[in-house]
Amino acid sequence: MARGTRPRKNRIEVWCDDNEFALIRASAQNSNLSNSEFLRNLGKGHEPKCAFDKEAIHELAKVHANQGQLGGLLKLWLSEKKGQGASVKNVRALLQEIESLQLTIAKLVVKESLRL
């Protein structure tokens, strides 16, 4: 039985070498499609879309790295200033920046998940 919503009666065989097959398979997986769906869409002139937006993933990675740096700085700051005390104003400002980065990450994740 066909996976789609309508029965398909015609079959096209495509011969390819191992490298071509691996490329087709990887491209289909990146598009979140079966090999058949991927090739059928290409044959109908549709441009396959990647299931993951590489630019959004890159942005998330940068924001995550910034957040890690801020957390590390806060930890170092609090451990080195032990007994001396850091100003409450500075600690709160850093915590607010970390929270802002967390919100940015959350917004990017929601935005990307809505696109999928």
Side-chain angles (χ1 to χ4, degrees):
M1 188 74 178
R3 232 175 83 175
T5 58
R6 63 186 190 275
R8 293 186 171 91
K9 301 180 218 172
N10 302 306
R11 178 183 176 143
I12 299 174
E13 290 189 45
V14 178
W15 293 94
C16 54
D17 63 28
D18 291 340
N19 291 333
E20 292 167 333
F21 181 72
L23 181 61
I24 291 168
R25 185 182 217 173
S27 297
Q29 286 175 346
N30 284 340
S31 301
N32 207 23
L33 299 170
S34 69
N35 293 347
S36 259
E37 290 171 308
F38 177 76
L39 292 173
R40 185 172 39 256
N41 288 344
L42 283 178
K44 294 190 303 185
H46 296 288
E47 184 70 28
K49 293 183 180 177
C50 183
F52 301 102
D53 184 350
K54 292 177 184 174
E55 187 176 321
I57 292 170
H58 181 70
E59 287 299 314
L60 281 173
K62 283 184 358 186
V63 171
H64 185 264
N66 290 342
Q67 186 180 19
Q69 289 173 343
L70 287 173
L73 286 173
L74 179 60
K75 183 178 177 181
L76 179 67
W77 186 15
L78 292 174
S79 67
E80 284 187 359
K81 300 276 185 175
K82 203 172 197 173
Q84 298 174 13
S87 85
V88 173
K89 180 181 174 184
N90 289 338
V91 172
R92 283 193 179 142
L94 187 55
L95 287 173
Q96 286 175 345
E97 194 168 343
I98 291 171
E99 287 175 358
S100 173
L101 284 173
Q102 286 175 325
L103 287 174
T104 302
I105 290 172
K107 286 177 185 175
L108 287 170
V109 168
V110 167
K111 177 183 171 186
E112 188 57 29
S113 66
L114 291 175
R115 293 183 64 197
L116 297 178

